[in-house]
Amino acid sequence: MKQIEKKVVILGSGPAGLTAAIYASRAQLEPLVIDGPQPGGQLTITTDVENYPGFAKGIMGPALMSEFREQAERFGTEIINVWIDRVDLSERPFTLYGKESADADEVTTIIKAESLIISTGASAKWLGVPGEEPVPVGLGGNGVSACATCDGFFFRDRPIVVVGGGDTAMEEAIFLTKFASSVTVVHRRDEFRASKIMQERVLNHEKITVLWNTEVKEIKGTKETGVESIVLYNNQTGETIDYPTQGVFIAIGHKPNTDLFRGMLDMDDVGYLITEGRTMATNVPGVFACGDAQDSYYRQAITAAGTGCMAAIDAERFMAEHPLAKAEEIAV
Ligand code: NDP
């Protein structure tokens, strides 16, 4: 059993977590970052990132996250890859129980944290249909996306499809009309869940067509061409058609990765962690939350990085005001 004691433990290594690590390590807090199942976060499953300031020519998502990682390590951040199975936030230092993987039986690492920054991110919900898997298996990242703000620009003058009937789908559809030649919203029922005002904008938009009672069954295309068409099933008529399109935006909701903290930290109905006022402080003193685990609204790499910075500054101030014994790593 390995036991680690740290002043600052950061759970999750996307833009929020690694920015928190850069700030905490430069403040000489020697943070420990725990990689999740997707080291580097959602950007590692995208291709070009063109809206992250400082990269005038754009940068590939995985390359951007390597830069974040290297920068965090340069100032003394330690990064480990364990699956955190359970946490105890009832007293400081907090305890995190780590296993080698999600399906491993045994706890192999116990981490004691004087303060904890949660940056576990959110995962886009996916349809689970053939063709949707990330490249190289499917067309995810090559015509299939869950982020119009990130990828809309690549679909200039092309026909695209948005799947979903909530506010995100409406917002993405409207945003995508700036680029696409046409936008088709595919929704599984005969009415939208979205707010009235957003629905009206979509229904009245000349570039947008809505296909009601329609489910996506498959996304077709090749590695070379990207998406070429999708198979649509009308659940009222039973008809199945092959519908030509070059882009598919899945907008059926996100799920914050916060189940670990259910019953311990305040969260909204969906599971987004609630922080106090302008700070990143949760309801447990010494525990901070940032990035997509805490922000249901902006969900951008740059905003996640911003809140990661804020969480580290909040943690640093908290540590100064509430010091515990010096942290050190002990191999047991
Ligand atoms: P929602 O949960 O509100 O909507 C998800 C949509 O996706 C629903 O229409 C749902 O269909 C559909 N859906 C879910 N699963 C599937 C599936 N497997 N196959 C096909 N369709 C599916 O998520 P949103 O991300 O849209 O919104 C989340 C929250 O954020 C909401 O509270 C929303 O109001 C808010 N928000 C607000 C914005 C704003 O105010 N500008 C912008 C974006 C989000 P069905 O309706 O049949 O269940």
Side-chain angles (χ1 to χ4, degrees):
M1 179 80 69
K2 190 176 184 196
Q3 183 157 329
I4 301 172
E5 297 183 11
K6 285 282 180 179
K7 284 188 176 148
V8 180
V9 170
I10 299 166
L11 193 50
S13 59
L18 291 176
T19 302
I22 292 165
Y23 275 76
S25 55
R26 293 193 78 256
Q28 300 196 318
L29 291 170
E30 297 167 5
L32 174 75
V33 171
I34 302 173
D35 267 334
Q38 178 99 53
Q42 293 186 70
L43 278 192
T44 58
I45 52 165
T46 62
T47 51
D48 288 285
V49 178
E50 295 186 334
N51 55 7
Y52 201 91
F55 297 92
K57 297 185 177 65
I59 183 166
M60 297 300 275
L64 179 59
M65 292 326 297
S66 296
E67 292 285 334
F68 269 67
R69 211 173 172 90
E70 209 179 298
Q71 193 175 355
E73 285 176 326
R74 182 178 148 208
F75 298 108
T77 298
E78 184 188 349
I79 304 179
I80 61 169
N81 195 311
V82 291
W83 172 263
I84 300 300
D85 191 47
R86 191 159 52 91
V87 294
D88 181 354
L89 305 182
S90 61
E91 60 176 356
R92 278 180 76 220
F94 309 118
T95 310
L96 291 79
Y97 299 88
K99 302 194 303 188
E100 276 183 13
S101 64
D103 39 17
D105 294 326
E106 257 178 75
V107 169
T108 49
T109 311
I110 290 181
I111 299 154
K112 294 276 182 190
E114 289 187 33
S115 66
L116 176 65
I117 295 177
I118 301 167
S119 48
T120 45
S123 305
K125 290 202 229 160
W126 296 96
L127 295 167
V129 299
E132 186 191 44
E133 310 86 348
V135 284
V137 178
L139 295 157
N142 185 15
V144 180
S145 169
C147 178
T149 317
C150 322
D151 297 328
F153 187 76
F154 302 116
F155 295 89
R156 196 169 282 278
D157 299 325
R158 296 181 184 186
I160 57 152
V161 162
V162 174
V163 185
D167 278 324
T168 303
M170 304 299 108
E171 207 168 62
E172 304 246 300
I174 294 160
F175 178 79
L176 288 164
T177 57
K178 288 190 206 164
F179 310 102
S181 54
S182 67
V183 176
T184 305
V185 175
V186 172
H187 183 41
R188 64 183 177 184
R189 289 190 296 133
D190 62 357
E191 60 177 353
F192 286 139
R193 174 183 298 274
S195 54
K196 282 277 169 287
I197 185 163
M198 298 294 277
Q199 292 194 28
E200 273 165 26
R201 279 188 206 155
V202 162
L203 295 171
N204 294 331
H205 201 293
E206 56 180 14
K207 266 193 181 179
I208 303 178
T209 308
V210 180
L211 297 180
W212 303 103
N213 302 310
T214 302
E215 298 168 25
V216 178
K217 292 293 180 194
E218 187 180 349
I219 300 169
K220 289 159 86 175
T222 65
K223 204 170 127 198
E224 292 70 34
T225 58
V227 172
E228 290 180 312
S229 67
I230 55 176
V231 178
L232 295 179
Y233 168 72
N234 184 310
N235 57 30
Q236 296 300 302
T237 65
E239 191 190 1
T240 297
I241 56 166
D242 206 49
Y243 192 81
T245 187
Q246 291 179 26
V248 184
F249 286 81
I250 314 288
I252 61 170
H254 279 77
K255 192 185 172 318
N257 303 318
T258 56
D259 286 350
L260 196 56
F261 306 102
R262 207 162 277 280
M264 296 176 213
L265 296 179
D266 289 346
M267 48 182 84
D268 69 12
D269 293 345
V270 182
Y272 287 98
L273 295 171
I274 294 170
T275 49
E276 285 168 17
R278 295 175 60 198
T279 75
M280 296 291 115
T282 68
N283 57 304
V284 173
V287 179
F288 304 88
C290 53
D292 285 11
Q294 173 267 344
D295 167 30
S296 63
Y297 192 72
Y298 296 104
R299 296 195 304 242
Q300 300 300 300
I302 184 66
T303 50
T307 57
C309 159
M310 292 158 74
I313 291 173
D314 288 343
E316 186 188 342
R317 288 183 183 154
F318 177 85
M319 299 294 299
E321 286 163 17
H322 306 88
L324 287 180
K326 193 178 181 327
E328 57 189 11
E329 182 171 331
I330 315 159
V332 179

